[in-house]
């Protein structure tokens, strides 16, 4: 992950598909379903990591990254699951 502090831009490294995504850190961005689930998990089960990410200003980007990765995995899995269910 790359961080440019002057404009608060973060880049997620290439995933297995090869796409590179740039995310900006703003409080108004929607963290999505999986970002919310990750935030709740961190708050309940890993409060030290949650506080560290929150205080360092990296929580929003972390949650956006989790949501992005979860959606990428779903996009890869769903066609395989649909194919398997028709057999």
């Amino acid at each position: 992950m790359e961080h440019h502090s002057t404009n608060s831009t973060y880049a997620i490294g290439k995933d297995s598909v090869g796409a590179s995504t740039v995310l900006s850190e703003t409080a108004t961005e929607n963290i999505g379903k999986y970002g919310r689930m990750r935030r709740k998990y961190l708050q309940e089960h890993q409060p030290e990591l949650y506080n560290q990410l929150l205080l360092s200003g990296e929580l929003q980007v972390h949650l956006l990254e989790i949501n992005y990765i979860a959606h990428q995995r779903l996009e890869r899995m769903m066609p395989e699951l649909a194919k398997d269910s028709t057999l």
Side-chain angles (χ1 to χ4, degrees):
M1 185 184 290
E2 188 176 289
H3 174 290
H4 302 286
S5 60
T6 56
N7 59 7
S8 296
T9 299
Y10 293 77
I12 297 175
K14 292 187 182 235
D15 62 6
S16 61
V17 178
S20 180
T21 302
V22 176
L23 301 172
S24 65
E25 181 183 19
T26 63
T28 59
E29 286 192 67
N30 184 359
I31 59 173
K33 174 184 176 180
Y34 300 103
R36 288 189 305 273
M37 290 171 65
R38 174 67 173 172
R39 180 178 56 202
K40 184 175 180 177
Y41 169 80
L42 289 172
Q43 288 172 329
E44 293 176 2
H45 301 285
Q46 300 218 355
E48 290 177 9
L49 178 57
Y50 174 79
N51 286 329
Q52 178 185 356
L53 290 168
L54 181 64
L55 294 174
S56 69
E58 296 175 1
L59 179 62
Q60 184 76 9
V61 172
H62 174 75
L63 299 176
L64 289 167
E65 182 178 7
I66 294 297
N67 191 60
Y68 172 79
I69 291 169
H71 279 284
Q72 291 299 312
R73 289 181 182 171
L74 279 174
E75 287 178 16
R76 286 192 305 255
M77 288 174 35
M78 291 309 287
E80 292 175 29
L81 292 173
K83 182 179 75 174
D84 290 345
S85 70
T86 59
L87 295 178

